[in-house]
Amino acid sequence: MATANKNLSVYDKAALPDAKDLRFGIVVSEWNDEITEGLYSGAMEALLDCGALESNIIRWNVPGSFELTFGCKKLAAETKVDAIIAIGSVIQGETKHFDFVCSATAQGIKDLNVLLDVPVIFCVLTDNTMEQARERSGGKHGNKGTEAAIAAIKMATLGR
Ligand SMILES: Nc1c(NC[C@H](O)[C@H](O)[C@H](O)CO)[nH]c(=O)[nH]c1=O
Ligand SMILES: CC(=O)[C@@H](O)COP(=O)(O)O
């Protein structure tokens, strides 16, 4: 199902565990910060709505999406969190650089989920245009940050 047929911000709070005892890390890329700040806001709003305490959420910034892998790895090593959300926005430019950044970031975060004992949620938009990114970070298609927060709660409590 394409995002166009699904609102990223819809979730059933009653079907989720209370997040009050969970600790979250959020690593935010500074590239396209209009978009990444929108994703961060969506994630924070959903985490707090589901009972998470602001004091249990730690945020680190990295320069770009390519650095998300290292940022999440370092955060997992140096803090005790139950889940990490990696937030980025990659937008197609004139060259193939988009392909390499998207692929490296997706593979890097996938690798962290294999190597670490803490789930790392892939909240990285990979859009053709700024308009598509706006539509998915609080626009007509909802907010992928919200979707990522819900995924983080579910993965942090997997098997409980
Ligand atoms: N063009 C975008 C980038 N490029 C920067 C890389 O992510 C990286 O920071 C740089 O290559 C240095 O290692 N990053 C994004 O997050 N979004 C883009 O659209
Ligand atoms: C995803 C990117 O790195 C890209 O936005 C950079 O733009 P360009 O391909 O025009 O150099």
Side-chain angles (χ1 to χ4, degrees):
M1 175 190 290
T3 298
N5 302 319
K6 167 185 163 56
N7 188 297
L8 296 165
S9 295
V10 174
Y11 61 93
D12 179 4
K13 184 174 166 183
L16 295 169
D18 191 326
K20 66 179 171 53
D21 297 323
L22 299 177
R23 295 168 299 261
F24 299 94
I26 307 180
V27 183
V28 184
S29 162
E30 294 168 343
W31 253 84
N32 299 317
D33 59 351
E34 173 196 338
I35 304 303
T36 59
E37 291 303 327
L39 295 170
Y40 173 75
S41 296
M44 282 296 291
E45 187 176 332
L47 290 175
L48 298 176
D49 181 51
C50 292
L53 304 179
E54 195 158 354
S55 57
N56 283 345
I57 302 170
I58 182 169
R59 170 177 170 164
W60 286 2
N61 294 338
V62 293
S65 291
F66 186 86
E67 284 76 35
L68 285 171
T69 300
F70 182 84
C72 293
K73 183 186 77 168
K74 184 175 174 71
L75 192 146
E78 299 183 7
T79 70
K80 185 155 180 51
V81 292
D82 299 295
I84 297 171
I85 301 172
I87 291 179
S89 167
V90 192
I91 297 176
Q92 177 65 60
E94 296 175 352
T95 71
K96 293 175 65 176
H97 196 239
F98 171 88
D99 300 332
F100 292 97
V101 170
C102 292
S103 176
T105 303
Q107 291 302 320
I109 291 170
K110 178 268 292 178
D111 291 345
L112 292 180
N113 280 286
V114 172
L115 298 170
L116 301 180
D117 291 328
V118 60
V120 183
I121 307 305
F122 185 71
C123 185
V124 180
L125 292 177
T126 56
D127 300 295
N128 296 311
T129 64
M130 177 61 79
E131 189 51 35
Q132 285 181 349
R134 289 183 177 127
E135 289 171 349
R136 289 157 175 80
S137 57
K140 70 176 183 180
H141 294 317
N143 193 320
K144 194 156 192 72
T146 306
E147 179 193 55
I150 302 310
I153 293 168
K154 290 179 178 179
M155 293 307 291
T157 56
L158 188 66
R160 290 189 186 179

